[in-house]
């Protein structure tokens, strides 16, 4: 106070123009200091608005709210940048950085009041961040925000090597109204979309499917061996044979319940149709035997020892065939016919049979095959 009074007395002793100049200088200094304070205040407010608060936070500036509403898609309810990123195919599993372009510097950062943010991470730095996250097992653990497994949901890797659900991190930013890591509280982080948890989940699912299939195959093989191999234990062996006997009884009961008449009719029908086919083939492709064939057929008849006609059931008589003693003279004068199917008949009996049949080419009375005949 004493110094101020002395300074005022000195200024009063100066001439009038000099005292006015000092007062103007003091006013200029005060106005500059006031302007600098105002500028610093505006710069800090702009910095807080653009960096510390969340972009979707409600602000008092209506123009800023309108500008942010204009950036949003009215149909999908999401920003243009988010819509472009979500339009990419997640199935490709391509990792990319969200917001790859750095935000412009705020007024406080330009004036040097606040330190400028560090440069964007390079691909090599992102590789190191991801390697640190893999060592810590971030993708294998639940999300730190919702405490649920990642499964196939989109996940983001922060530049501080922490991993979260993308939707959970966005909800946390909207709730806290600032951009900081929920784990380490690091600000101004960068985000990168990764798919490590999805790959781990698919690998786990494939492992479980393979394990279930191997278990099913082993159980099926064991049941098959159990049903086919008799056990050594006495009680198990008794049970094994009881089950086999029960299966045989069940199959026998089912067989007895079938319609045997219809079954036999089907067999007869199929046999008759097959016989007709064979007869047609024999009629079409049969050839007349040669002399050596007749000799071979006659030797077969002699080996069988045929002595009676199958039609009249009387004795056959031929110079080349053995005859029994005591045959009547009437039977000895009846001619014998040898067929190509190695059967013997009386000529009169065979002619009567051929006259009785209605087929154009009669078949053998015994084997029903088409034949050629020779009188012996």
């Amino acid at each position: 106070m004493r110094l101020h009074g002395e300074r005022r007395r000195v200024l009063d002793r100066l001439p009038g123009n000099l005292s006015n100049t000092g007062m103007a200088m003091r006013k200029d200094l005060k106005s500059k200091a006031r302007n600098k304070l105002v500028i610093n205040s505006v710069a800090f407010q702009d910095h807080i608005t653009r960096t510390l608060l969340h972009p979707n936070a409600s602000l008092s500036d209506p123009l800023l709210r309108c500008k942010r509403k204009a950036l949003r898609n009215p149909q999908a309810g999401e920003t243009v940048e988010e819509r472009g990123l979500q339009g990419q195919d997640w199935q490709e599993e391509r990792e990319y950085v969200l917001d790859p372009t750095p935000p412009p510097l705020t007024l406080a950062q330009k004036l040097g009041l606040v330190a400028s943010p560090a440069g964007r991470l390079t691909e090599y730095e992102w590789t190191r961040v991801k390697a640190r996250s893999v060592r810590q097992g971030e993708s294998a653990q639940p999300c730190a925000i919702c405490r649920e497994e990642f499964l196939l949901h989109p996940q983001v890797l922060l530049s501080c090597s922490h991993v979260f659900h993308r939707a959970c991190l966005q909800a946390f930013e909207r709730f806290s109204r600032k951009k900081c890591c929920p784990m380490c509280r690091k600000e101004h982080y960068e985000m990168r979309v990764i798919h490590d948890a999805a790959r781990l989940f698919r690998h786990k699912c494939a492992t479980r499917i393979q394990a279930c299939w191997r278990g099913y195959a082993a159980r099926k093989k064991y049941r098959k061996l159990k049903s086919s191999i008799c056990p050594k234990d006495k009680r198990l062996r008794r049970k094994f044979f009881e089950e086999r006997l029960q299966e045989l009884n069940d199959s026998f009961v089912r067989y007895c319940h079938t319609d045997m008449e219809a079954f036999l009719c089907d067999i007869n029908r199929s046999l008759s149709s097959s016989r007709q086919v064979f007869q047609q083939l024999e009629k079409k492709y049969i050839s007349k035997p040669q002399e050596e064939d007749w000799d071979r057929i006659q030797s077969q008849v002699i080996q069988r020892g045929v002595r009676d006609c199958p039609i009249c059931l009387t004795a056959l008589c031929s110079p080349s065939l053995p005859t029994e003693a005591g045959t009547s003279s009437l039977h000895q004068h009846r001619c014998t016919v040898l067929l190509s199917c190695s059967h013997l008949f009386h000529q009169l009996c065979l002619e009567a049979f051929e006259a009785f049949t209605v087929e154009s080419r009669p078949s053998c009375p015994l084997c029903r095959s088409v034949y050629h005949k020779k009188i012996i």
Side-chain angles (χ1 to χ4, degrees), residues 115 138 218 233 370:
E138 294 287 339
D233 187 67
V370 182

Side-chain angles (χ1 to χ4, degrees), residues 43-279:
F44 276 116
Q45 184 179 3
D46 178 67
H47 178 76
I48 292 172
T49 302
R50 295 176 57 181
T51 59
L52 298 182
L53 292 180
H54 192 268
N56 295 330
S58 59
L59 301 176
S60 58
D61 188 3
L63 297 178
L64 190 57
R65 286 203 300 267
C66 295
K67 189 183 298 184
R68 286 176 180 168
K69 287 182 179 180
L71 290 175
R72 300 183 66 84
N73 188 355
Q75 297 179 354
E78 58 187 5
T79 61
V80 178
E81 185 177 1
E82 291 178 353
R83 181 167 49 84
L85 290 174
Q86 292 180 1
Q88 299 175 358
D89 190 6
W90 288 92
Q91 301 298 329
E92 295 179 358
E93 294 192 354
R94 184 178 61 86
E95 298 182 359
Y96 58 92
V97 180
L98 294 175
D99 299 331
T101 57
L105 297 177
T106 62
L107 182 59
Q109 292 173 347
K110 292 179 180 179
L111 294 177
L113 301 176
V114 179
S116 301
R120 310 294 286 186
L121 296 180
T122 61
E123 192 66 27
Y124 174 73
E125 292 174 344
W126 273 117
T127 305
R128 295 181 59 184
V129 170
K130 186 174 180 180
R132 186 166 62 252
S133 173
V134 171
R135 286 196 303 270
Q136 296 174 358
E138 294 287 339
S139 298
Q141 299 175 2
C143 176
I145 300 176
C146 64
R147 303 305 300 169
E148 293 183 1
E149 298 292 340
F150 287 102
L151 303 181
L152 298 178
H153 301 294
Q155 59 176 152
V156 289
L157 171 66
L158 305 187
S159 56
C160 56
S161 74
H162 292 134
V163 181
F164 305 96
H165 281 128
R166 184 177 179 183
C168 295
L169 185 63
Q170 292 176 351
F172 178 80
E173 290 178 353
R174 287 196 300 268
F175 178 78
S176 61
R177 295 188 179 182
K178 59 182 179 179
K179 191 174 182 180
C180 66
C181 176
M183 296 288 291
C184 61
R185 303 302 178 183
K186 179 182 177 180
E187 299 180 355
H188 308 296
Y189 53 77
E190 299 181 38
M191 294 185 296
R192 184 182 180 92
V193 178
I194 60 174
H195 307 277
D196 293 351
R199 282 193 290 267
L200 291 174
F201 179 70
R202 283 195 291 268
H203 179 72
K204 188 184 298 183
C205 292
T207 304
R208 293 185 62 182
I209 291 172
Q210 292 176 0
C212 293
W213 171 252
R214 291 194 185 100
Y216 168 75
R219 289 190 297 271
K220 185 177 180 181
K221 185 177 180 180
Y222 175 74
R223 285 195 296 267
K224 185 176 180 181
L225 292 175
K226 185 179 178 181
S227 61
S228 59
I229 299 178
C230 180
K232 296 181 179 180
D233 187 67
K234 186 176 180 180
R235 290 180 298 177
L236 295 178
R237 179 177 296 183
R238 181 178 179 180
K239 185 178 179 180
F240 175 80
F241 286 115
E242 287 178 355
E243 291 177 354
R244 300 289 84 76
L245 182 61
Q246 185 65 33
E247 291 178 1
L248 291 176
N249 292 335
D250 295 341
S251 62
F252 180 73
V253 170
R254 288 194 299 269
Y255 177 77
C256 292
H257 285 179
T258 55
D259 191 356
M260 296 300 298
E261 294 295 334
F263 179 69
L264 294 177
C265 289
D266 292 339
I267 293 178
N268 293 332
R269 193 180 303 109
S270 61
L271 287 176
S272 61
S273 60
S274 301
R275 189 181 295 111
Q276 292 177 2
V277 172
F278 283 117
Q279 288 177 358

Side-chain angles (χ1 to χ4, degrees), residues 289 292-302 304 338-343:
E292 58 272 12
D293 296 333
W294 285 117
D295 295 338
R296 179 176 54 79
I297 295 171
Q298 189 172 355
S299 63
Q300 293 178 359
V301 174
I302 294 173
R304 289 204 307 267
L338 175 63
L339 303 185
S340 58
C341 59
S342 72
H343 292 138

